[in-house]
Amino acid sequence: MTEKIALYPGSFDPMTNGHLDIVRRCALVFDRIEVAVAHNPSKEPLFTPEERAQIIRDSTTDIENLTVSHFDGLTVRYARKINARYLIRGLRAISDFESEIQMAMLNRELDPGIETFFVVPDARYSYISSSMVKQLYIAGGPIADLLPPPALKMVEERLERRIAPEQ
Ligand code: COA
């Protein structure tokens, strides 16, 4: 039987507990998950692709069937390269739906042999995004419950708090 390999692409700048929740759910379903940091030219990331991949590796050491990488170019082409037939995307709220459907359709047009699967994260993470967590940190808000410890450490090292947290 062929191994069911799923690719979970994203910018992961950095990985949040919402992404981790998706990864854990998928690790129970697929034989192997490859989490891959994608280069998105329309974003200005805080961390390099290598740093983002390392944060993911350090945050998922307990998940055996998971590998981490980064890539440039088309997601479906990268999926083929690593023999993944499935793409994972998280659906946090209805607001994600339109762009995600568009992306899934486009990816199907590009490669009909690759199937997109949508996974819903725990409700606790339905409102978070990487940018929101970074903004919250800069503004002095609490983010420890929103990031895995390796991501939290990197954010604390890289970003300056403009407003001191309330005691
Ligand atoms: N928990 C927390 N946050 C989540 C989340 C979850 N479960 N799921 C998504 N998000 C957030 C991310 O943190 C990110 O937040 P940010 O914008 O504040 O950084 C946001 O939702 C977007 O998510 P992401 O999955 O990283 O999407 P993206 O738009 O950055 O990247 C790619 C999408 C890389 C998969 C897509 O652009 C792509 O495939 N690019 C390659 C080129 C290509 O093939 N193009 C054709 C297809 S469009």
Side-chain angles (χ1 to χ4, degrees), residues 11 16 18-19 38 43 73-75 89 92 103 128-131:
S11 41
T16 66
H19 296 123
K43 286 187 172 176
L74 285 180
T75 295
R89 296 292 294 162
R92 291 164 298 172
M103 204 191 301
I128 63 170
S129 71
S130 302
S131 313

Side-chain angles (χ1 to χ4, degrees), residues 8-23 36-43 52 71-78 87-92 96 99-100 102-104 106-107 110 119-122 125-135 146:
Y8 182 20
S11 41
F12 302 108
D13 188 45
M15 174 179 242
T16 66
N17 282 340
H19 296 123
L20 193 55
D21 183 79
I22 301 273
V23 165
V37 175
H39 172 71
N40 186 342
S42 60
K43 286 187 172 176
R52 286 178 267 161
F71 72 100
D72 254 330
L74 285 180
T75 295
V76 287
R77 205 169 283 160
Y78 187 65
L87 286 182
I88 306 295
R89 296 292 294 162
L91 268 190
R92 291 164 298 172
D96 281 341
S99 58
E100 289 298 335
Q102 242 180 339
M103 204 191 301
L106 176 58
N107 282 330
L110 292 169
V119 180
V120 177
D122 189 287
Y125 309 124
S126 62
Y127 63 93
I128 63 170
S129 71
S130 302
S131 313
M132 199 214 75
V133 174
K134 288 179 282 189
Q135 282 168 21
L146 304 178

Side-chain angles (χ1 to χ4, degrees), residues 61-110:
T61 49
D62 60 318
I63 307 174
E64 282 176 12
N65 57 339
L66 182 138
T67 46
V68 184
S69 59
H70 54 88
F71 72 100
D72 254 330
L74 285 180
T75 295
V76 287
R77 205 169 283 160
Y78 187 65
R80 282 285 171 191
K81 190 175 164 196
I82 62 161
N83 294 320
R85 296 281 306 277
Y86 311 98
L87 286 182
I88 306 295
R89 296 292 294 162
L91 268 190
R92 291 164 298 172
I94 198 76
S95 49
D96 281 341
F97 191 76
E98 205 175 321
S99 58
E100 289 298 335
I101 285 287
Q102 242 180 339
M103 204 191 301
M105 298 286 193
L106 176 58
N107 282 330
R108 179 176 287 162
E109 195 64 31
L110 292 169

Side-chain angles (χ1 to χ4, degrees), residues 49 51 54 59 66 79 83 107 133 157 160 162-163 167:
E51 286 172 330
Q54 195 55 47
S59 306
L66 182 138
N83 294 320
N107 282 330
V133 174
E157 279 171 18
E160 211 174 299
R162 301 218 180 101
I163 302 165
Q167 297 303 316

